Amino acid sequence: VSIGIEAYLDVFEGGKLNIMGDGISLKRALFNTKESNEVLMLEYGEALDVQMDFQANVDVEFMMVVLVIFDKELKPICNVFSDKYTVKKEEQYQIHMRTEDMMFSPGTYSASVGFRKYDDKGVCTERLTVIENLLDFKVIGGQHLITPAGVHRHGSWRLENVNTSVNEVNEKEGHE
């Protein structure tokens, strides 16, 4: 029991970021225009907007980003996957994700993000960087929903190379 309480406090009571891997360096993360170190309050049904500024420390032909959301019992309840993108070493990028159809029951949640490398067949071959405890947020209002864990949703993602003078934008709409 004490281990579970300690894990909960690490995540939801001001726990520090846990960063594993060095393939990607996260420079800044905004959630609904708030810094990731602030607790975000969402109204039931409100869209979640994510913006992350990062630097690629390796060349990756097929990279995918996943936002994993945990409930207060530390169970993963939702994964939001990006499309696959190509990133180049030492280049700066900004990635945006918006999802409007994630209906969480009122309560407390935590989010982590993973940057993964894939092969041309869509198989994950390496975890470039995983950042745990990136965001805490609370959902207020609405109804309590009974939904199974492991709900997967695609958001709308856009990757921009911020090093080019003519901004190359690779924009793809997510789908279920």
Side-chain angles (χ1 to χ4, degrees):
V1 172
S2 64
I3 293 171
I5 292 170
E6 186 176 319
Y8 177 86
L9 293 175
D10 282 347
V11 172
F12 291 106
E13 298 296 325
K16 62 181 181 176
L17 292 178
N18 184 20
I19 302 173
M20 297 167 282
D22 59 2
I24 299 293
S25 296
L26 185 66
K27 303 299 184 185
R28 183 177 186 199
L30 294 175
F31 295 86
N32 290 32
T33 70
K34 294 185 183 277
E35 296 286 341
S36 63
N37 59 356
E38 299 177 45
V39 175
L40 177 65
M41 302 295 280
L42 289 177
E43 291 288 334
Y44 175 78
E46 183 180 350
L48 180 64
D49 290 300
V50 178
Q51 174 188 316
M52 291 181 283
D53 301 338
F54 66 92
Q55 176 179 314
N57 299 323
V58 293
D59 289 332
V60 182
E61 186 176 1
F62 301 110
M63 181 194 75
M64 200 152 93
V65 183
V66 61
L67 184 74
V68 182
I69 298 175
F70 298 87
D71 67 9
K72 66 182 177 182
E73 295 171 355
L74 304 178
K75 293 185 296 192
I77 61 160
C78 183
N79 299 321
V80 183
F81 292 94
S82 74
D83 289 305
K84 292 181 190 125
Y85 299 107
T86 299
V87 295
K88 300 216 179 284
K89 183 177 182 177
E90 298 182 8
E91 296 285 317
Q92 304 286 323
Y93 296 92
Q94 187 173 84
I95 192 162
H96 301 264
M97 186 277 298
R98 178 177 175 86
T99 184
E100 298 180 26
D101 59 355
M102 293 177 18
M103 302 302 251
F104 295 109
S105 296
T108 302
Y109 300 89
S110 177
S112 298
V113 67
F115 295 84
R116 300 175 177 178
K117 180 178 181 179
Y118 285 78
D119 65 16
D120 60 348
K121 295 180 178 120
V123 176
C124 179
T125 60
E126 181 182 351
R127 291 182 183 164
L128 301 167
T129 300
V130 174
I131 304 167
E132 295 178 336
N133 309 330
L134 183 61
L135 169 73
D136 291 338
F137 67 98
K138 293 184 180 188
V139 175
I140 55 177
Q143 304 171 9
H144 288 276
L145 301 176
I146 300 173
T147 58
V151 176
H152 297 270
R153 305 300 294 179
H154 280 273
S156 176
W157 295 80
R158 184 179 75 240
L159 178 69
E160 299 174 12
N161 183 331
V162 295
N163 289 324
T164 59
S165 58
V166 176
N167 204 2
E168 301 170 6
V169 176
N170 186 357
E171 191 166 290
K172 301 210 178 191
E173 290 298 319
H175 56 277
E176 290 186 50

